[in-house]
């Protein structure tokens, strides 16, 4: 259930970290030393005979002038450093958990802060605001030493935080900070002066010469002038956005240059927006304040109001910034930073502007992360972490929330036991956050991959994730609770994030949709949103773009490919068919380029090209027409096709030469795509099977084994090639007659995982009515299944499921001989892929070849279900192999399978042979002691009698 703990963490007021406080107090005198440490591994599996390598851990030593402290061990270096700093603070008697100041206390601190920044001590300090003060000293005439109040508002984070404590609405109305700064300055008449109705402050008495000299000496020599590119965005949507050049001399102040371009005589009347993009960015909007700026100078601190601005709203600038921008504005990346005294600047181009514009919706963020604006699309599904390319859904969702000044997303992950999750999968009931959830964990985003909490993970559990998004005012905006279970916690988080992003994508492209369509869309993506708050926090910023005909946001994209699917003459595929064709789930690598082409192909302008671009087929990771064409190609072939123009903003965001692209767009043109299919990597076997079978084939094989156990009342079972113990683990979820289970494999890594899983099931689950209660002993061996070990001789039931195809055919035959002649179980179950069923799984056409069947198999060898398969047999080959074994070793054999049907071509997806031993009088004596052969190494052993020992 929701505890609210993480939400409180997400909305807490800004506080300094322990390391930041140590830096404030000690500066360079604090020295951190981080070292890697090794600690005993707690594998949670007593008796495991495999050395376990623990995670990489770090410990930090913090040296201060008077003492040294050492942190505990952490997975991340930064956590070790913060821990050391926290220990030092506790030793110093500094309590970080002290209550936040009241509004009145914050007001007194605000006045003290303003007093400090105009003091002699502040001017030489390494602070972005002190650099502005030094630049203001170079201003001439009446403006000398005059500092724009907007500069103080944007450069000093402490002032902003204090204003937010005084009045939380500052978060939504950042210009309110100006009112508080001017009122604080008015309370310091002995130190500073502020002209009535103006937005500037200066010291009443000049700085002493020695202070000025020491401050100027810190600055390095600079060039005669600084030239940087910015963007001029007129208030009128009819006027074009255009680039401008900012030329700042070495003795000038860049605010004066910006004021001049905006048509202002006084830079003190330039207002500045909050940053665009990353918090560390210096990209901001600059715009003019009215001649008489309306400040609320009343004495009511908590209820200071935003006085109506009175000017026309700049819709394009406001949509990018997330706050109201009035009149003409300049978008520039320039300012002073903490890194030095010199001015920082970088060009903001028209392409930058259009890229910022398309990043306002999730699909745009994904396109930019892939640097494939005209080819990539936000995928419809999250399949695997390996196949996902570009920014992960969780990262994109966090970025979206930051763009719209929302709190970080809150994730609530529920762990559901295997038995419960199976029941939920068979029903349509929403798992959500119910009594069936074993544990829940709520946390906020941290700009990194999800770390699985070991306490949350219960062996055999499934996961579901619920997401909630709040405004800065703590209002719930939307929540998403998908009715889907995942085996991995990270998959649940990423998939739920993708659902939210997909809904946002669809909604923000059609914000004027009907209420009925709005409801249907929310149901499709399992979204519940609060319309009024959502419109206020998100849609309001985008709705201003609706009046612009050439903007991407707020409108549907036109159909990109009417011709590709309906008119093959527009597609030109060249090259020899290599038979290596893509199918759903395949990972493709293509080389492509996109160009603007005028009618008749008289002129061409390259927009975008990538030499190696990977994407997963069938997930919607590329534009539809591109996937439609690639699906008709084979490796080595090239193709060329044409599409209608997408929204103009996408073209301009991708263009390498914006001037040429704009010239092309003035005449009829289209996009030309040129593609070469470089590589096709087939999807893993389990992925292909899961797409077609419910329940998956692996579960169907388990159920088949359970059926055989119950039929023969088997009390002992050995799994040859047990791997990570998936079969043995699954069998423990069913009530059976089994008392002894064993597993053999050559992979110690897999056996280690199997031991941990079985231990958690057998030891930790002590319920009297648990399905695994009948099991009295379990053992895992390290060894080859082609070697004999007498300890596994004479078991009631032996299984070898989907193993022999990973061996050479000669080894598979050797295994058959060893197990039936030496181990001699009463029943042996062997399963292996039916090669003929690959036609269905891979959508290939095996019957199109008119050659000999053996030649057909050889020509299709690259189409095995798994790259590790050494062979895959047809039904005829498998039955021939099994029948010969049965005759040779006095067994009867029957054939069956799972996935598909025996009377429908091409048979079962997974074919099964069940060998039953024919009992003879000489079998009664069994194996004699002198015949004992121990070739396997015991990796892990458990006995119910030993349970209390652990």
């Amino acid at each position: 259930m929701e505890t609210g703990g993480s939400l409180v963490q997400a909305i807490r007021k800004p506080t300094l970290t322990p390391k930041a406080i140590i830096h404030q107090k000690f500066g360079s005198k604090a020295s951190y030393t981080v070292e890697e440490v090794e600690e005993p591994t707690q594998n949670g599996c007593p008796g495991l005979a495999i050395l376990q390598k623990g995670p990489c851990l770090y410990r930090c030593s913090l040296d201060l002038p008077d003492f040294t402290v050492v942190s505990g061990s952490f997975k991340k270096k930064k956590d070790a450093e913060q821990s050391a700093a926290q220990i030092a603070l506790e030793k110093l008697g500094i309590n970080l958990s002290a209550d936040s100041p009241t509004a009145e206390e914050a007001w007194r601190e605000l006045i003290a802060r303003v007093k400090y920044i105009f003091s002699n001590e502040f001017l030489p300090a390494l602070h972005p605001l002190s650099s502005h003060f030094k630049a203001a000293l170079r201003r001439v005439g009446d403006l000398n030493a005059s500092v724009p109040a907007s500069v103080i508002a944007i450069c000093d984070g402490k002032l902003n935080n204090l204003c937010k404590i005084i009045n939380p609405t500052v978060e939504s109305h950042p210009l309110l900070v100006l009112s508080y700064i001017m009122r604080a300055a008015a309370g310091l008449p002995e130190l500073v002066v502020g002209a009535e109705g103006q937005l500037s402050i200066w010291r009443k008495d000049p700085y002493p010469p020695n202070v000025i000299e020491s401050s100027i000496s810190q600055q390095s020599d600079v060039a005669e002038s600084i030239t940087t590119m910015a963007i001029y965005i007129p208030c009128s949507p009819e006027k074009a956005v255009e680039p401008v050049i900012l030329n700042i001399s070495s003795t000038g102040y860049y605010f004066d240059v910006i004021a001049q371009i905006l048509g202002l005589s006084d830079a003190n009347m330039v207002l500045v927006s909050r940053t665009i993009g990353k918090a560390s960015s210096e990209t901001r909007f600059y715009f003019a304040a009215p001649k008489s700026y309306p400040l609320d100078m009343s004495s009511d601190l908590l209820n200071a109001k935003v006085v109506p601005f009175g000017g026309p709203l700049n819709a394009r600038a406001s949509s990018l910034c997330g706050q109201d921008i009035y009149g003409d504005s300049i978008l520039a990346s320039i300012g002073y930073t903490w890194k030095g005294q010199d001015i920082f600047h970088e060009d903001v181009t028209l392409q930058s502007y259009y890229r910022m514009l398309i990043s306002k919706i999730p699909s745009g963020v994904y396109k930019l992360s892939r640097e494939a604006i005209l080819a990539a699309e936000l995928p419809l599904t999250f399949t695997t972490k390996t196949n996902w390319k570009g920014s992960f859904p969780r990262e994109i969702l966090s970025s979206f929330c930051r763009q719209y000044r929302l709190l970080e997303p809150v994730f609530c992950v529920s762990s559901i036991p295997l038995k419960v999750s199976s029941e939920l999968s068979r029903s349509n009931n929403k798992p959500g956050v119910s009594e069936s959830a074993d544990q829940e964990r709520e946390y906020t985003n941290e700009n990194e991959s999800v770390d699985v909490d070991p306490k949350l993970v219960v062996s055999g559990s499934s996961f579901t994730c619920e997401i909630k998004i709040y405004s800065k005012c703590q209002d719930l905006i939307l929540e998403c609770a998908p009715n889907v279970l995942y085996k991995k916690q990270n998959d649940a988080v990423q998939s739920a994030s993708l659902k939210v992003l997909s809904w946002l994508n669809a909604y923000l492209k059609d914000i004027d949709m009907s209420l009925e369509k709005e409801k249907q869309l929310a149901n499709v993506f399992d979204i519940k949103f609060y319309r009024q708050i959502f419109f206020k926090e998100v849609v309001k910023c985008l709705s201003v773009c609706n009046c612009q005909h050439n903007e991407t946001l707020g409108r549907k994209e036109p159909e990109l490919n009417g011709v590709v699917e309906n008119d093959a003459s527009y597609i030109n595929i060249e090259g020899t068919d290599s038979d290596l064709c893509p199918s759903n789930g395949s990972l493709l690598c293509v080389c492509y380029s996109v160009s603007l082409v005028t009618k008749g192909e008289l002129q061409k302008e390259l927009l975008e090209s990538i030499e190696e671009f990977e994407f997963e087929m069938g997930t919607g990771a590329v534009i539809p027409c591109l996937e439609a064409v690639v699906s008709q190609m084979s490796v080595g072939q090239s193709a060329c096709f044409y599409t209608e123009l997408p929204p103009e903003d996408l073209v301009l965001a991708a263009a390498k030469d914006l001037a040429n692209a704009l010239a092309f767009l003035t005449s009829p043109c289209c996009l030309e795509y040129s593609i070469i299919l470089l590589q096709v990597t087939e999807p893993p076997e389990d992925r292909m099977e899961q797409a077609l079978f419910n329940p998956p084939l692996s579960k169907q094989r388990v159920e088949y084994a359970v059926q055989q156990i119950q039929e023969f009342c088997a009390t002992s079972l050995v799994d040859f090639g047990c791997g990570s113990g998936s079969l043995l683990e699954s069998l423990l979820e069913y009530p059976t007659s089994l008392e002894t289970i064993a597993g053999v494999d050559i992979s110690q890594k897999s056996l280690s995982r199997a031991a941990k899983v079985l231990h958690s099931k057998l030891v930790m689950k002590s319920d009297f009515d648990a399905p695994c209660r009948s099991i009295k002993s379990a053992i895992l061996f390290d060894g080859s299944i082609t070697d004999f070990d007498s300890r596994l001789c004479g078991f009631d039931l032996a299984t070898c499921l989907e193993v022999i195809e990973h061996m050479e055919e000669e080894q598979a035959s050797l295994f058959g001989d060893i197990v039936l002649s030496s181990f001699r179980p009463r029943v042996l179950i062997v399963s292996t892929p039916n090669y003929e069923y690959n036609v269905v799984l891979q959508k290939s056409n095996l019957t199109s070849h008119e050659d000999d069947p053996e030649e057909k198999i050889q020509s299709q060898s690259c189409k095995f279900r798994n790259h590790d398969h050494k062979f895959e047999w047809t039904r005829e080959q498998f039955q021939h192999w099994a029948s010969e074994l049965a005759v040779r070793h006095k067994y009867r054999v029957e054939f069956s399978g799972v996935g598909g049907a025996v009377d429908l071509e091409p048979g079962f997806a997974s074919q099964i042979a069940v060998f039953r031993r024919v009992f003879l009088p000489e079998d009664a004596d069994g194996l004699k002691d002198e015949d004992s052969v121990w070739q396997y190494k015991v990796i892990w052993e458990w006995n119910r009698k030993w349970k209390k020992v652990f």
Side-chain angles (χ1 to χ4, degrees), residues 685 721 746 785 800-809 811-812 831-833 865-872:
E685 181 181 359
I746 59 173
I785 61 175
C800 185
L801 306 184
E802 308 298 294
V803 174
I804 61 172
E805 65 272 9
H806 294 272
M807 311 162 69
E808 298 294 343
E809 291 190 64
Q811 288 183 309
S831 77
T832 190
R865 299 185 198 178
N866 190 305
H867 66 88
D868 191 47
H869 287 184
K870 303 300 189 294
F871 65 87
E872 288 183 5

Side-chain angles (χ1 to χ4, degrees), residues 375-403:
E377 280 290 357
L378 182 69
L380 300 174
T381 57
F382 182 87
T383 53
T384 65
K385 186 177 180 179
T386 304
N387 280 11
W388 184 275
K389 307 300 176 182
S391 295
F392 283 97
R394 186 171 182 251
E395 297 169 9
I396 299 175
L397 184 59
S398 177
S399 173
F400 179 88
C401 290
R402 287 194 294 269
Q403 277 205 63

Side-chain angles (χ1 to χ4, degrees), residues 831-852:
S831 77
T832 190
N834 173 13
Y835 177 75
E836 296 165 276
Y837 207 90
N838 293 1
V839 178
V840 179
L841 290 175
Q842 300 170 359
K843 298 183 179 178
S844 58
N845 187 9
L846 188 65
T847 59
S848 63
H849 296 271
E850 298 179 0
D851 304 322
D852 182 78

Side-chain angles (χ1 to χ4, degrees), residues 622-635:
V622 293
I623 59 175
C625 56
L626 179 58
E627 185 165 298
V629 171
V630 172
S631 67
Q632 304 173 44
M633 300 169 63
S634 64
V635 172

Side-chain angles (χ1 to χ4, degrees), residues 202-214:
W202 60 92
R203 274 176 57 116
K204 187 175 183 180
D205 298 322
Y207 288 102
N210 63 317
V211 173
I212 295 176
E213 288 176 8
S214 64

Side-chain angles (χ1 to χ4, degrees), residues 1-6 410-417 420 424 430-444 450-458 461-468 479-482 485 489 492-493:
M1 303 297 290
E2 281 185 35
T3 62
S6 294
V410 176
F411 301 86
C412 183
V413 178
S414 301
S415 170
I416 302 175
V420 177
L424 289 171
K430 184 176 184 179
V433 206
S434 64
E435 292 79 12
S436 63
D438 206 22
Q439 294 190 45
E440 292 182 347
R441 173 174 163 222
E442 195 172 284
Y443 54 91
T444 54
V450 177
D451 293 326
V452 177
D453 184 355
K455 296 178 181 178
L456 182 65
V457 179
V458 178
S461 296
S462 295
F463 297 94
T464 183
C465 176
E466 182 179 3
I467 297 177
K468 295 182 180 180
E479 49 191 326
C480 175
L485 300 174
Q489 181 177 355
V493 172

